Amino acid sequence: MPSPFKTLLLTLPVLVLLPACDLFDTSDAEGTRGRGARAFDPYASSASGAISLSLLSFKGCAILPNGEPVTKGGLNLPDYPNECINLNLGFPIAAPALPPTARMQVTPGQAYFLREFSAVDMLQNVHTDYNDRRTPAAWARLQSNFKDLDWSGLSMGQDDWKVQDPGTLQRETFYENAAWMTSTTDTLLLEVLDSDGNVRTSETYKRTDFLSESSATGRTRVSFTVTGLAPPRFPDDPIPVVSKEREALVYASTVKVSFANSTNPFKSFTMPQLQGEGLIRVTWSLMPKKPFLFPVTFVPASERPATCYQVGPDGLATDVPVPCGFGLSQKVVMTPPRNGRYLEPGEALDFVISLQDGDGHSLHARDSLPSFKQYMEGESNGLAHFNSFMLVNWRDGSASESGYKVVGPLQDLVVVNGSHTPPYFAFPQAVEPEYYVPPSSTYLPGGSLHRPNTRITVPLPPDAKPGTYALLVKGHRDFMGERLNRMDPFFFQVGQAERTTYPGKIGNCQVCHNGPNSLNNVHHGGSVDNVEACKVCHYDEGVGHVSDFMHRIHVNSRKYQQNKGDCTLCHLTRESTLRPSLVACAGCHPGTHGNEYKHLEFQDLSAVPNIYGNCANACHVTSPPREHVLPKR
């Protein structure tokens, strides 16, 4: 079976901001994890105040983060489906539904907090009239699993096009402004039941307890999507053209309700001391008669098998097995340079990856990572690999992108506009990281059985510029109900011992992103100290151009209550604000030019002209719009 897509389908942006942040309080140290008076680090395993709980549901069936549907086992749950759709059987989604077999495990006696609740209903290739955008909206209002919501005020929003691959696009029509979408008073009642249906503990979460909830952050959305399109002949072309890279178009009507990143992880509950089967029930106050059901198996910590490994003095796994704990910690052991101080141009960066739980136990053997098959079968100690079907079917773009990227020197890292080749060293050169298991390899004979080597070598070019380089490591883990994503930088010197730094053109993220909602506790899990590293992957619209989604997230967030025309909060230099482009300005001003430059949306990344071009070279010269407040220098 071919890979459904070679690149990501959509942008899942970084984050929205907290309400009522103190713009003048910049005293928090940016290098501190879990900033705030009450430090909280969900990655710290047994040292965490509570373990983050992720609950996912697709068409009424609980699913694991790897896309496998969860069986209700022996529980008497007449409202839980006997058969579920397996998201991993194909794209479009394979039919018919089958009896699920996966189990969701949790630990009794463990403190948890609800970090994510996401539920999806979707139809694929049912509404197949390219020009009919009313029928998908009618299905959402009248027939979907969410038909009991208050849909009054629903309107058609942006018609968004994204480049998937050269010559292949996706069009997504969003529906907005329904009463339930704009609610701020609704709640989620979480209850844990034993196998007899008795409620053993509960906690109520407000919608405002969650940081990310809008479509701009890849969360709650109602949309009609057409995938596999060739560029239209002209704007608003009513006749769809199938891309030469695709066999046919795929139509999807989707309702996704998703609240993530708790702003109050201290609102926790203790999983009751039970064994065997049980149930987590979530009742949304806007749908009180249709609770969401998540069958679970209670597995005491004392019964966890010893599938992790003790770590030796060298920071790598030994042969001594131990039970796994919660959390995720990424370690790197680099081979020292030949001269003992820095790598010379043309020399190779040689390193060993060691992925560990929060208690310092290795999650894999010393020399190899788990295979893709082990991940899909729940035998990877929670370590996740890139899952194409979870991406295109669940629409979750960053759930399992485990891999790495090498870039540098830091002082040369700039936003790339309209090019496949960044003006600095990058491995891989493409926008995406080097996955431990490349998506395409899992479709080759034996590819899903391959166990990636933990030792990796990246040659540097003979003309590598001197300075500080970064090895960016992305990791993802789901374990006993916990789901964590993180990105860690590891630095090394090339050509000189003196350290260099990022350009320093943007920053101040910690002004609002502090405490439990520091950037290192959300989405990719990268510290604000390294926010300028975001640009080394996000320079293609297919994965999201940083200048687009950064603006789009904050402008569309109800939680970001600052002056949206004040660029000085995030931009530290005037020069960083003076490159207007269609992709940069569209984040705040979609459709400003109507269809006048619409054709540029459908061009390849490196085509000229394109949406990444500098508008100041043509019409806008260097005079910024008057309503924008820019840094003085």
Side-chain angles (χ1 to χ4, degrees), residues 505-506 571-579 631:
K505 296 181 179 180
I506 58 170
H571 286 269
L572 306 181
T573 68
R574 187 177 185 87
E575 180 264 341
S576 69
T577 66
L578 295 179
R579 195 189 184 282

Side-chain angles (χ1 to χ4, degrees), residues 407-445:
V407 295
L410 296 188
Q411 70 271 18
D412 285 355
L413 301 186
V414 296
V415 175
V416 179
N417 290 284
S419 174
H420 292 287
T421 305
Y424 48 81
F425 173 74
F427 179 86
Q429 195 175 81
V431 293
E432 297 177 22
E434 183 75 4
Y435 300 116
Y436 299 129
V437 177
S440 59
S441 70
T442 60
Y443 307 99
L444 300 175

Side-chain angles (χ1 to χ4, degrees), residues 125-190:
N125 288 339
V126 173
H127 306 137
T128 57
D129 186 336
Y130 180 79
N131 299 296
D132 179 8
R133 306 182 201 181
R134 292 182 177 273
T135 300
W139 164 79
R141 292 186 299 108
L142 304 174
Q143 296 177 291
S144 74
N145 290 350
F146 299 95
K147 63 177 183 281
D148 292 340
L149 292 170
D150 183 354
W151 289 89
S152 60
L154 184 70
S155 60
M156 189 177 299
Q158 186 177 2
D159 200 35
D160 190 39
W161 289 77
K162 286 283 188 346
V163 176
Q164 296 172 339
D165 294 313
T168 304
L169 302 104
Q170 169 192 282
R171 189 199 76 185
E172 184 166 16
T173 303
F174 291 91
Y175 305 94
E176 304 170 344
N177 300 318
W180 68 267
M181 296 179 182
T182 59
S183 172
T184 57
T185 59
D186 46 311
T187 61
L188 296 172
L189 171 63
L190 184 149

Side-chain angles (χ1 to χ4, degrees), residues 369-554:
L369 298 174
S371 68
F372 185 81
K373 183 175 186 292
Q374 287 176 303
Y375 163 54
M376 296 304 295
E377 294 180 352
E379 298 175 354
S380 65
N381 293 326
L383 288 180
H385 290 303
F386 186 94
N387 183 347
S388 297
F389 291 127
M390 193 61 176
L391 167 66
V392 297
N393 287 327
W394 175 254
R395 305 297 304 278
D396 194 347
S398 291
S400 56
E401 296 176 349
S402 296
Y404 65 93
K405 193 163 194 174
V406 180
V407 295
L410 296 188
Q411 70 271 18
D412 285 355
L413 301 186
V414 296
V415 175
V416 179
N417 290 284
S419 174
H420 292 287
T421 305
Y424 48 81
F425 173 74
F427 179 86
Q429 195 175 81
V431 293
E432 297 177 22
E434 183 75 4
Y435 300 116
Y436 299 129
V437 177
S440 59
S441 70
T442 60
Y443 307 99
L444 300 175
S448 65
L449 300 175
H450 172 67
R451 295 182 57 119
N453 200 309
T454 56
R455 179 173 289 279
I456 299 167
T457 300
V458 178
L460 297 175
D463 60 347
K465 292 183 62 175
T468 301
Y469 284 58
L471 164 61
L472 305 173
V473 181
K474 293 181 70 176
H476 301 261
R477 188 183 184 216
D478 53 88
F479 178 74
M480 304 295 290
E482 178 187 52
R483 184 189 188 201
L484 296 176
N485 307 335
R486 72 177 301 159
M487 186 190 76
D488 291 299
F490 301 90
F491 302 103
F492 61 98
Q493 295 300 119
V494 175
Q496 65 183 40
E498 295 78 18
R499 295 182 63 85
T500 57
T501 62
Y502 295 110
K505 296 181 179 180
I506 58 170
N508 289 339
C509 304
Q510 82 285 359
V511 172
C512 292
H513 282 290
N514 51 57
N517 291 302
S518 301
L519 289 185
N520 47 22
N521 287 344
V522 294
H523 201 57
H524 289 323
S527 167
V528 296
D529 299 297
N530 303 289
V531 69
E532 289 196 82
C534 299
K535 66 187 72 170
V536 303
C537 288
H538 289 285
Y539 60 86
D540 182 340
E541 194 191 19
V543 298
H545 196 280
V546 64
S547 61
D548 170 44
F549 71 72
M550 278 293 192
H551 294 129
R552 190 187 303 265
I553 290 168
H554 297 102

